[in-house]
Amino acid sequence: MKIAVLGAGYAGVSVLENLVSTLPDLSALSVDVFDKSRSFGPGVAYQEDSETNLLNRPLKLMYLSRRNDFRDWLVQFGARDAAADEDGFLQRAQFGRFLQSRFDDLCGAVRAAGGRIRIIGAEVEAIAPVAAPTHFISCPGRAAGPTMTWSICAWAPIWKRTPTG
């Protein structure tokens, strides 16, 4: 099964999390993850930019796939003080590091099962249906070809865009 994930921030990591947790055979999985920022995991929203940028939601409401997964990660990696205040507003970059960690773990799980994940640091400029349910994805500077066609296409940050923009 070939899948393209467009955007490797929160929504892209969430797509990978759902694929890994629901597909019975990861060895048949082939995923291409596209993100122009090359910041796989944190995306733009949770990047390492300023320690003063805080989350706009308290810790108890920040998670990826299950309640408290971010808090559990903080405890696991030695940030017990931050994890202790469930009503606290933590640095955005801390959540980005959590997403990066999950992204790396998910990629590792797919690869360990014999599946394939390819990370593509490029901007997607177009998505076009070829023959249902196949889509063609076009990136600037990349040659078109059979490796650029997917049977399933999941895209995160641009899912509301129309063909006209």
Side-chain angles (χ1 to χ4, degrees):
M1 176 186 313
K2 284 181 80 175
I3 298 175
V5 177
L6 309 189
Y10 179 88
V13 176
S14 182
V15 167
L16 287 176
E17 180 89 34
N18 284 309
L19 287 170
V20 168
S21 67
T22 59
L23 292 177
D25 181 13
L26 295 179
S27 68
L29 186 60
S30 175
V31 179
D32 289 337
V33 181
F34 294 85
D35 196 298
K36 71 176 180 176
S37 74
R38 297 175 192 254
S39 178
F40 300 103
V44 175
Y46 305 109
Q47 65 187 331
E48 299 273 351
D49 54 0
S50 173
E51 292 181 14
T52 60
N53 290 343
L54 301 180
L55 295 167
N56 60 358
R57 300 175 68 179
L59 173 61
K60 67 183 173 190
L61 298 177
M62 295 300 298
Y63 56 91
L64 181 62
S65 61
R66 64 171 180 75
R67 282 225 186 263
N68 296 322
D69 59 3
F70 177 41
R71 185 182 344 186
D72 295 345
W73 179 86
L74 287 168
V75 169
Q76 179 184 355
F77 288 96
R80 291 184 188 280
D81 291 343
D85 182 8
E86 69 176 17
D87 292 316
F89 292 82
L90 303 179
Q91 295 172 357
R92 295 178 73 79
Q94 281 181 301
F95 192 70
R97 289 188 289 274
F98 163 66
L99 293 174
Q100 177 68 57
S101 176
R102 285 303 302 140
F103 182 80
D104 293 344
D105 291 347
L106 294 164
C107 290
V110 170
R111 291 177 178 135
R116 183 184 68 82
I117 290 196
R118 185 168 60 163
I119 312 298
I120 302 170
E123 181 176 8
V124 172
E125 67 178 22
I127 303 169
V130 177
T134 303
H135 293 78
F136 176 78
I137 295 178
S138 170
C139 296
R142 294 213 173 244
T147 61
M148 297 295 285
T149 305
W150 291 268
S151 59
I152 297 174
C153 188
W155 55 93
I158 61 171
W159 67 273
K160 288 188 176 180
R161 288 189 187 169
T162 64
T164 58

